[in-house]
Amino acid sequence: MTALDLSSPVAVVGTGTMGQGIAQVALVAGHSVRLYDAVPGRAREAADAIGARLDRLVTKDRLSGADRDAARGRLLPADSLDDLADCGLVVEAVPERLDAKQELMRALEDIVDDDCLLATNTSSLSVTAIGGALRNPGRLVGLHFFNPAPVLPLVEVVSGFATDVTSATRAYELARAWGKTPVACADTPGFIVNRIARPYYAEAFAVYEAQGADPATIDAVLRECGGFKMGAFELTDLIGQDVNESVTHSVWQAFFQDPRFTPSLAQRRLVESGRLGRKTGQGWFDYADSTDYAAGAEPHTAERAQQPAYVVAEGNLGPASELLALVREAGIPVREEDEDHGTRLVLPSGGQLALADGQTSVEFRDVVYFDLALDYRRATRIALSASQDTAPQTLAEATGLFQALGKDVSLIGDVPGMIVARTVARIVDLAHDAVAKGVATEEDIDTAMRLGVNYPLGPFEWSRKLGRNWAYALLDDLHLRDPSGRYAPSLALYRHAYATDKREGSTS
């Protein structure tokens, strides 16, 4: 199956930001493009806006003047849907209302040829439900571009329940011919990215709601320790709190109010107050004087503490094993004790330092937890958590240890799973669950999460790096402490962890 021939015109219905972006992608790829909007005059305004963007591409040497002129000549506003009759593909980018999309698709089916591919750019509605309005729903496919469409490479190619394999294949090859990176997925709430990305926001908000840390500190830990490009609070301010919450609520409702996708009450209050982020000048942060990351939103950073004279390593620290080399390089002696299941450092005071595991510090005598890092050598910040019963000397030694490794230290509340660890574990779990339910392949999920939301690693890359049992063990501990169902590991993750234990001869 080949992509759409360049001689076949492409139509875009709906000329907002996404519609214009999709039209520009098709135009630059060499197609003639018809623009239609139900509001009179909007299509011509959109054509002018696209032309201006093409001019900017020429200025930046990303497009030649000749190619710009040729593209402009292929861009035609349409006065009615009837003007789209000879198109080989029609992509709708109208507002997210099921009735409006169904009505549009019914009208198009009476106008275009039988072999014309119909596509929806919906991000939150069911492709199956949109196609249900058609006589031939097999011709409808989801083509979910990410904003800005001309820049971001990912396109989710979504097959509805009735979508023909040939239609999905045509759409996939077309996206690739347009220079995009397509991933194939089934029609599930949120598709790949908006389904699996929910914990990134939800866990940050949950830590905040539990008064574990303030937004600036949580964001700093996600960036400087977890390796994510933006923190959850600054990212939702950029997206728009109303938009982000709407997607979260849509996915939650579509999964019959599954507790794993429960929206945040704190975010609800933010939206109700009209603090929608950068576009209103205030969200989690205040942007009154700048559109950049809010001035004065400084993360908590601990004061300097004395480094410990030595540490005792019980076991190899599991996913944090590279810390032992860093401690030695900092000139701090490491005494090793052979512990089969040990994953802790013992400090001179007798207190212990342990990697976040879903338990709380208050459950143990004098334990400080430290968060998961993408790369402990490159991380510039580490979060530590302790309870009110933790000895001040233990916390001081733990702080001084990481400061000796060149890290800023943020002290947060006694939150099980801390920040990065619980977030990554939940993302890994949702990814395994999605594969088990036929949503997408491991490879496509990793690609989607890296390209769609710029994660430093895909969920399965994280899973392989951390060990097959890591996410399950952490979530199982979290679930014991919060039995709401939010942290209950999926059956897919359980099978994944158990299969490894079985091969290694474990009966646990």
Side-chain angles (χ1 to χ4, degrees):
M1 185 64 62
T2 60
L4 188 69
D5 191 274
L6 288 178
S7 63
S8 295
V10 171
V12 177
V13 180
T15 59
T17 301
M18 283 304 302
Q20 291 181 32
I22 295 168
Q24 181 179 330
V25 171
L27 199 63
V28 172
H31 288 275
S32 295
V33 175
R34 311 276 174 78
L35 287 174
Y36 175 76
D37 198 291
V39 179
R42 284 274 180 86
R44 295 188 183 279
E45 292 174 3
D48 291 340
I50 294 170
R53 283 200 291 272
L54 294 177
D55 289 340
R56 289 195 291 273
L57 291 177
V58 172
T59 302
K60 297 177 181 178
D61 292 327
R62 295 178 183 172
L63 189 70
S64 71
D67 286 342
R68 173 202 56 196
D69 294 342
R72 278 183 162 178
R74 297 193 302 271
L75 181 59
L76 299 173
D79 295 324
S80 72
L81 288 178
D82 290 334
D83 294 337
L84 315 182
D86 63 338
C87 291
L89 166 69
V90 180
V91 184
E92 70 80 14
V94 302
E96 291 284 86
R97 284 179 35 227
L98 179 60
D99 59 342
K101 292 179 186 288
Q102 288 178 327
E103 182 180 350
L104 171 62
M105 289 300 172
R106 279 194 296 265
L108 287 169
E109 194 172 33
D110 291 333
I111 293 170
V112 299
D113 291 338
D114 291 342
D115 62 350
C116 175
L117 186 65
L118 299 178
T120 172
N121 184 59
T122 185
S123 61
S124 61
L125 299 177
S126 165
V127 174
T128 301
I130 296 170
L134 297 174
R135 294 189 302 273
N136 176 19
R139 72 196 300 188
L140 179 74
V141 65
L143 273 178
H144 181 216
F145 289 78
F146 288 74
N147 191 34
V151 176
L152 296 184
L154 184 69
V155 176
E156 291 177 322
V157 181
V158 186
S159 293
F161 186 78
T163 301
D164 290 337
V165 173
T166 53
S167 297
T169 303
R170 287 178 66 196
Y172 187 96
E173 294 299 333
L174 179 61
R176 188 157 61 178
W178 285 0
K180 297 299 181 181
T181 302
V183 292
C185 66
D187 185 19
T188 184
F191 308 142
I192 297 175
V193 172
N194 280 330
R195 172 178 177 153
I196 295 174
R198 295 341 303 158
Y200 187 68
Y201 316 110
E203 293 313 305
F205 299 161
V207 172
Y208 167 75
E209 289 174 338
Q211 300 186 53
D214 61 273
T217 299
I218 295 169
D219 275 4
V221 172
L222 287 168
R223 289 192 313 269
E224 301 171 38
C225 183
F228 294 94
K229 298 298 182 183
M230 296 183 73
F233 294 91
E234 59 178 327
L235 180 55
T236 52
D237 269 355
L238 176 63
I239 294 169
Q241 297 302 330
D242 53 338
V243 174
N244 181 261
E245 192 212 26
S246 176
V247 174
T248 297
H249 196 270
S250 174
V251 172
W252 176 62
Q253 290 285 16
F255 277 114
F256 307 106
Q257 300 185 0
D258 186 324
R260 295 177 302 167
F261 301 101
T262 301
S264 162
L265 180 59
Q267 188 180 39
R268 175 90 290 260
R269 293 292 178 258
L270 204 66
V271 172
E272 289 175 337
S273 70
R275 300 181 179 187
L276 306 182
R278 295 190 184 191
K279 62 187 177 183
T280 61
Q282 191 169 23
W284 294 110
F285 303 111
D286 186 353
Y287 301 90
D289 299 322
S290 173
T291 57
D292 294 329
Y293 193 59
E298 294 295 327
H300 173 272
T301 301
E303 295 182 358
R304 297 297 302 179
Q306 181 67 39
Q307 70 184 50
Y310 65 90
V311 295
V312 178
E314 293 184 347
N316 64 7
L317 299 187
S321 59
E322 63 183 320
L323 276 176
L324 296 180
L326 298 180
V327 172
R328 290 188 178 96
E329 291 169 17
I332 301 174
V334 178
R335 305 174 187 173
E336 295 192 45
E337 293 186 1
D338 188 13
E339 295 282 343
D340 289 341
H341 302 289
T343 57
R344 299 187 176 193
L345 292 175
V346 180
L347 300 164
S349 63
Q352 297 182 344
L353 187 59
L355 175 63
D357 59 7
Q359 302 180 86
T360 58
S361 180
V362 75
E363 300 172 52
F364 304 96
R365 187 189 68 81
D366 219 12
V367 170
V368 173
Y369 279 105
F370 64 94
D371 210 347
L372 177 71
L374 171 68
D375 183 330
Y376 283 99
R377 183 174 294 276
R378 296 183 179 180
T380 58
R381 182 178 298 273
I382 293 291
L384 301 180
S385 71
S387 74
Q388 66 272 18
D389 297 328
T390 303
Q393 181 62 23
T394 299
L395 187 55
E397 289 176 344
T399 300
L401 175 65
F402 281 104
Q403 289 173 338
L405 306 186
K407 319 297 183 187
D408 287 329
V409 174
S410 291
L411 304 179
I412 70 170
D414 191 14
V415 179
M418 300 191 70
I419 298 171
V420 179
R422 73 195 296 183
T423 299
V424 170
R426 288 209 57 218
I427 290 170
V428 167
D429 182 44
L430 289 187
H432 278 280
D433 184 54
V435 169
K437 292 177 178 173
V439 173
T441 65
E442 291 184 9
E443 293 77 13
D444 276 357
I445 287 175
D446 275 355
T447 297
M449 301 313 291
R450 281 189 280 101
L451 298 183
V453 277
N454 212 12
Y455 283 3
L457 292 176
F460 293 97
E461 292 173 318
W462 270 112
S463 186
R464 289 188 289 272
K465 174 182 172 69
L466 297 169
R468 294 168 62 100
N469 190 54
W470 178 85
Y472 175 81
L474 188 144
L475 290 176
D476 195 39
D477 277 337
L478 266 171
H479 179 53
L480 288 174
R481 288 151 185 81
D482 180 357
S484 64
R486 179 189 184 103
Y487 300 105
S490 67
L491 180 59
L493 192 64
Y494 172 79
R495 285 172 170 159
H496 180 74
Y498 177 77
T500 302
D501 289 343
K502 186 176 180 180
R503 281 198 299 272
E504 293 173 354
S506 171
T507 58
S508 61

